[in-house]
Amino acid sequence: MDTPAPRPAYKRILLKLSGEALMGEDSYGINRATIERIVSEIKEVAVLGVQIAVVIGGGNIFRGVAPAASGMDRATADYIGMLATVMNALALQDAMRRVGLPSRVQSALNIEQVAEPYIRGKAMRYLEEGKIVIFAAGTGNPFFTTDTAAALRGMEMNVDVVLKATKVDGVYTEDPMVHPDAMRYQRLTFDEAIIRNLKVMDATALTLCRDQRLPVKVFSIFKPGALKRVVMGEDEGTLVEC
């Protein structure tokens, strides 16, 4: 008798991608090979039938709190950063199209020539149809990060988990780049992450997820196969929950 294939641990996920993840080894912008590799990881999960939403940052192009924004009005700088996320979303959608992944970009800022406006009902329908929904322009408001946008959209889309893609394979007791003996947490509570200032996400995003009991999994997008292992419920990354 054949053993049934293992089933994904999550039915619907929200993947939070930083803009920096798209740079690869470059100092800024979008590295084509890197974005194609990230999309191939996403496709591995999509073919399992998992519904996928994506929130993308813009730090590879512009950050409202970066030196380039020094002296600039903070709200203006944040709006420029939101436009950078739209650029990344379009690049991600194009890379998905090339490998046959149906996707839609929805923007919290109205730029109807290039992206649909964010409409919750349409986004939910797209997910149910098997399309990947890429949310751009953060929350559409200055002073809020794309981490907060990920928490907000995750709750609105009724996802099972927010997957925070980073450069390291989880949350550590100390910076593993500086302290090689740092230990990876397998599980954390939101309160522990906030009190210890572990830089999982910004405090607003963590508090939103905690209050709505929406778990967050932190993992490395640069580790081959890590996204699929997370979705399958394997010991990958760090789970932050209530």
Side-chain angles (χ1 to χ4, degrees):
M1 188 172 179
D2 292 338
T3 304
R7 302 180 66 170
Y10 307 109
K11 181 181 178 183
R12 180 180 291 174
I13 64 172
L14 185 137
L15 175 64
K16 167 57 172 65
L17 277 176
S18 68
E20 288 89 340
L22 305 184
M23 294 192 304
E25 298 300 319
D26 299 341
S27 55
Y28 67 91
I30 299 167
N31 181 284
R32 172 55 60 184
T34 298
I35 198 170
E36 287 175 352
R37 188 190 57 74
I38 290 172
V39 166
S40 72
E41 300 266 338
I42 294 172
K43 186 173 183 179
E44 280 190 354
V45 173
V47 297
L48 299 173
V50 177
Q51 297 175 12
I52 305 168
V54 180
V55 166
I56 193 158
N60 56 320
I61 298 170
F62 190 90
R63 291 175 67 89
V65 294
S70 179
M72 189 181 289
D73 176 75
R74 173 63 192 272
T76 300
D78 281 355
Y79 279 119
I80 296 171
M82 289 180 221
L83 293 173
T85 72
V86 176
M87 296 166 69
N88 283 337
L90 293 174
L92 189 63
Q93 182 186 39
D94 181 73
M96 288 181 177
R97 178 186 58 80
R98 290 168 182 266
V99 297
L101 278 179
S103 63
R104 295 288 185 272
V105 175
Q106 288 200 346
S107 170
L109 295 177
N110 285 341
I111 319 175
E112 293 183 19
Q113 285 86 348
V114 295
E116 295 181 20
Y118 170 65
I119 299 173
R120 179 176 181 264
K122 286 184 77 172
M124 295 279 279
R125 189 173 76 246
Y126 288 148
L127 291 174
E128 289 162 0
E129 291 171 351
K131 297 181 176 72
I132 297 170
V133 183
I134 306 166
F135 296 114
T139 65
N141 301 289
F143 309 107
F144 291 96
T145 67
T146 49
D147 277 352
T148 301
L152 180 63
R153 296 290 183 249
M155 288 181 282
E156 290 182 299
M157 293 299 106
N158 298 327
V159 301
D160 300 318
V161 66
V162 171
L163 303 183
K164 172 75 184 286
T166 67
K167 294 179 180 179
V168 292
D169 61 341
V171 181
Y172 282 76
T173 51
E174 296 176 283
D175 186 345
M177 304 292 187
V178 179
H179 303 277
D181 57 343
M183 301 289 289
R184 175 175 66 90
Y185 292 105
Q186 190 175 20
R187 288 175 180 264
L188 278 171
T189 67
F190 287 110
D191 288 337
E192 286 172 334
I194 293 168
I195 291 167
R196 297 178 191 175
N197 195 28
L198 292 172
K199 310 292 186 188
V200 176
M201 299 172 101
D202 71 73
T204 304
L206 278 176
T207 303
L208 274 171
C209 290
R210 180 193 66 186
D211 292 350
Q212 298 301 319
R213 307 185 74 82
L214 176 60
V216 176
K217 189 89 180 228
V218 183
F219 74 104
S220 171
I221 195 64
F222 296 104
K223 191 174 177 182
L227 177 58
K228 183 177 180 180
R229 287 194 293 275
V230 167
V231 168
M232 296 305 293
E234 298 178 24
D235 178 22
E236 185 70 50
T238 300
L239 181 64
V240 187
E241 58 187 352
C242 293

